[in-house]
Amino acid sequence: MRVEGAVTSLTCRGRDDQFFIGTNKGQMYRSAYATFKEELVAVCHTEAVNDIVFPEGHSDLFVTCSTNDIRVWYTPERLERLRIIVPNVTCHAVEVTRDGMVIVSAWNDGKIRAFVPATGEPMYEINNAHNLGVTAIAATSDCKQITSGGGDGQRKAEFRKAPPELRQDQLVPEQMCVADFQVRIWNIGEKTQKLREVLKEHRGAVSCIKINKNDKEGVTASLDGTCVIWDLVRYVRKQMILDNTLFKCVCYHPGEYQIITSGTDRKLWDYKEGTVTHVGVGHSGNITRLKICPANKYIVSVSADGAVLIWK
């Protein structure tokens, strides 16, 4: 019998005619004692799941990302359909364009990578998209722009007037490490990818980005405890939500009159008023991403503890 990865666990089935095998590659196998032949029954990521996305209008497929890979799953059979491997780097976020033709992904080496969904073949790369890694990604419905967020910032100094013992025309540094964590908007052509706009409001890494259906508004979540709602026509801030949490993810309600956020807490917001309407409890670890399925019947959340939960 040959399995993928080192064997980490063995257990017998109740009737003792079969046993199960677990490996350090996230694989679970089943075998009968009589045949002693392995059968793959389940697979999963070996590290924390960083993002999950459903293609537009399809509840039977979804895409996840983690360290070293992106995976496409078939929900009815709970099977992995495709694995895209990029060794020695971590994918922080993934998006499927609305036409279903491109998987766009954000990586900790500062690159944005695009792949063909059916085969996993590379389409293009945007190098040095963010200096300290790309942490969030989103695409417009016309597939002509993508918006990215990062953990990088432009350092700048703030100054104050000198105290009496110094010359009064001398400026003294007040704080040397103020950073503008940026949201960047890219124009995507057939053969070119160009930076269109830079938005600056966050003071922490941008953890999640969502764009509404008409592409005129977007929302970004950050580890600084803020969610910013943007006017994507004028490229200015419309609203800001502040809370004592590390926002890890955000998404629009299907009616787009609420946003759902999560991270170190799990909250549903009325974003026009900036008030909390619901709080959820379930995960033992921080929620890394959540999505509303295309049928609008449930919310799927994934977390650092490796769990996948379905919320009504």
Side-chain angles (χ1 to χ4, degrees):
M1 180 186 300
R2 189 177 296 274
V3 297
E4 182 180 349
V7 176
T8 55
S9 60
L10 290 168
T11 186
C12 296
R13 195 174 180 183
R15 294 179 295 176
D16 291 335
D17 59 341
Q18 291 180 331
F19 63 97
F20 291 88
I21 307 161
T23 77
N24 65 353
K25 295 296 184 180
Q27 314 275 54
M28 185 170 70
Y29 298 85
R30 177 174 54 205
S31 177
Y33 288 106
T35 62
F36 207 68
K37 186 176 182 180
E38 76 279 2
E39 176 190 357
L40 182 64
V41 295
V43 296
C44 67
H45 290 282
T46 57
E47 303 285 346
V49 183
N50 295 323
D51 202 359
I52 176 174
V53 61
F54 289 91
E56 180 72 17
H58 295 279
S59 296
D60 56 350
L61 288 173
F62 65 92
V63 183
T64 59
C65 66
S66 184
T67 301
N68 298 325
D69 61 20
I70 296 170
R71 304 191 191 192
V72 179
W73 305 86
Y74 183 54
T75 310
E77 297 179 7
R78 302 180 183 179
L79 293 177
E80 178 186 317
R81 282 292 181 89
L82 176 68
R83 187 181 304 188
I84 303 169
I85 299 175
V86 185
N88 304 317
V89 286
T90 297
C91 184
H92 287 302
V94 66
E95 175 81 306
V96 179
T97 56
R98 190 161 293 185
D99 60 7
M101 300 301 291
V102 186
I103 295 176
V104 186
S105 54
W107 298 79
N108 69 339
D109 61 354
K111 294 183 179 182
I112 297 172
R113 292 179 170 91
F115 303 93
V116 179
T119 63
E121 294 180 2
M123 295 182 66
Y124 63 81
E125 290 185 1
I126 301 177
N127 296 315
N128 302 312
H130 293 269
N131 295 333
L132 299 181
V134 189
T135 53
I137 200 85
T140 56
S141 60
D142 61 8
C143 309
K144 294 181 179 180
Q145 286 187 339
I146 59 175
T147 303
S148 64
D152 60 328
Q154 295 179 340
R155 297 189 181 275
K156 60 184 180 181
E158 293 182 351
F159 296 91
R160 58 181 172 84
K161 288 186 178 180
E165 61 269 18
L166 298 178
R167 291 197 341 258
Q168 291 305 296
D169 60 346
Q170 185 175 350
L171 296 178
V172 178
E174 177 76 21
Q175 187 175 1
M176 295 299 295
C177 297
V178 178
D180 290 322
F181 292 87
Q182 297 178 355
V183 176
R184 298 179 180 179
I185 299 172
W186 307 82
N187 287 340
I188 305 300
E190 291 185 5
K191 296 183 179 180
T192 60
Q193 303 84 41
K194 295 182 179 180
L195 182 63
R196 167 68 183 272
E197 194 70 36
V198 177
L199 307 177
K200 303 176 183 179
E201 285 286 348
H202 292 295
R203 294 296 182 268
V206 179
S207 55
C208 191
I209 302 171
K210 289 292 174 289
I211 299 173
N212 74 350
K213 295 174 183 176
N214 62 17
D215 297 333
K216 294 182 179 180
E217 181 185 282
V219 57
T220 56
S222 172
L223 300 183
D224 63 3
T226 65
C227 283
V228 177
I229 298 166
W230 301 93
D231 183 328
L232 296 182
V233 177
R234 298 181 296 133
Y235 300 112
V236 295
R237 186 185 81 184
K238 293 178 65 176
Q239 172 71 288
M240 178 182 285
I241 293 170
L242 300 170
D243 201 11
N244 185 25
T245 187
L246 303 177
F247 284 121
K248 291 289 291 182
C249 49
V250 62
C251 67
Y252 280 99
H253 183 278
E256 297 187 345
Y257 55 84
Q258 291 178 321
I259 58 173
I260 304 168
T261 66
S262 200
T264 51
D265 58 11
R266 302 94 180 165
K267 294 181 178 179
L268 179 67
W269 297 76
D270 182 322
Y271 79 91
K272 290 184 179 179
E273 301 295 331
T275 56
V276 177
T277 61
H278 298 79
V279 178
V281 178
H283 286 283
S284 61
N286 289 346
I287 295 175
T288 53
R289 282 295 188 272
L290 57 83
K291 290 291 185 300
I292 298 174
C293 81
N296 298 333
K297 293 181 179 179
Y298 52 85
I299 300 169
V300 179
S301 60
V302 296
S303 66
D305 61 9
V308 178
L309 295 186
I310 299 175
W311 307 76
K312 291 184 178 180

